[in-house]
Amino acid sequence: MTDQAPAAQTDSPEIPGKPVSASRTTLSHIMTHNDTNLLGTVHGGVIMKLVDDAAGAVAGRHSGGPAVTASMDEMAFFEPVRVGDLVHVKAQVNWTGRTSMEVGVRVLAERWNESAPATHVGSAYLVFAAVDADGKPRRVPPVLPESDRDRRRYQEAQIRRTHRLSRRRAILELREKRAAEGFDD
C-alpha cells in the first residue's frame, strides 16, 4: 500500500490530500468533582463529550471547515477516570471518503500531581460529515497516511466502514420485509 489514500471519484477537480499530522490534535482537561457520576468516578458522558470535541476539531481542521458528528462507531472504556486526573484526548483522521471521515480517538489519564506515565483509559471511532454553510455535504481532502501505524489505521477504518454499511443495509432490508408482511414498526 502506498502512503496515499485513494482519491474520491467525482467529476469535480481533485482536492489535494492532507497528511494525518496536519489535523492531529490533543485536548487536555483536569477532571473535577463536577464531572463525577454516582460512583464517584468521572461520568462516561463527560469523557464522550471530550472525545466528540477533540474529534470535531480534527474533522474541522482536516476538512477546512465545519464538520458534524454523523456517528460514533465505538466507544470503549478500559479504566475509570478519577477526580484530579489530567485527561488527554488524542485524535486523528484515520480515513476519508468523499464527504465523510473517520476520526480515531485515544483517551489517556494521569494524576495531575504525579509523574507516572499516563494510562490508556478509552478509545473511540467517530464518523464526521463535512458540511457547507447550508448544512449540505461538501467534499473533504483525502487523508495521506504517513507511517505504518497510520496505514494500519486507514485499513482498519475501511473494515469498520464496510461493517457499518453492511449493518445499515441489513437493517433496512429487515424493515422492508417486516413492512411487506404488514408489521407497522
Side-chain angles (χ1 to χ4, degrees):
M1 180 173 212
T2 66
D3 284 352
Q4 294 191 357
Q9 294 180 359
T10 177
D11 47 2
S12 302
E14 179 71 22
I15 297 177
K18 286 187 178 179
V20 170
S21 61
S23 57
R24 186 180 285 141
T25 194
T26 301
L27 175 92
S28 297
H29 189 79
I30 294 178
M31 297 291 105
T32 68
H33 288 285
N34 292 333
D35 302 317
T36 60
N37 59 27
L38 296 175
L39 298 175
T41 57
V42 173
H43 194 290
V46 170
I47 300 299
M48 290 173 77
K49 179 169 182 345
L50 294 174
V51 163
D52 192 47
D53 287 347
V58 166
R61 281 180 169 186
H62 183 82
S63 68
V68 295
T69 310
S71 70
M72 179 180 274
D73 262 9
E74 187 176 317
M75 177 75 216
F77 296 99
F78 307 127
E79 299 283 338
V81 176
R82 302 171 293 160
V83 169
D85 280 354
L86 178 57
V87 172
H88 307 286
V89 183
K90 298 175 175 282
Q92 72 173 50
V93 174
N94 290 335
W95 174 89
T96 54
R98 194 176 68 77
T99 62
S100 64
M101 59 209 112
E102 182 194 270
V103 178
V105 182
R106 182 177 177 92
V107 183
L108 304 168
E110 61 181 315
R111 296 305 293 167
W112 70 272
N113 60 349
E114 297 175 8
S115 60
T119 302
H120 184 197
V121 296
S123 290
Y125 300 100
L126 297 89
V127 177
F128 279 78
V131 295
D132 63 18
D134 297 322
K136 304 289 185 205
R138 63 181 174 81
R139 290 188 59 206
V140 298
V143 66
L144 305 175
E146 300 172 277
S147 67
D148 287 338
R149 179 178 285 172
D150 293 341
R151 285 183 280 282
R152 175 188 53 81
R153 288 177 174 161
Y154 184 89
Q155 291 171 325
E156 290 173 357
Q158 288 178 303
I159 292 168
R160 281 186 292 275
R161 180 176 187 271
T162 298
H163 288 192
R164 210 172 28 254
L165 294 175
S166 176
R167 183 177 59 239
R168 184 179 303 150
R169 266 191 310 275
I171 289 169
L172 290 175
E173 288 170 5
L174 176 63
R175 288 179 181 174
E176 288 173 8
K177 179 181 175 203
R178 290 183 53 81
E181 293 172 350
F183 291 101
D184 185 22
D185 292 336

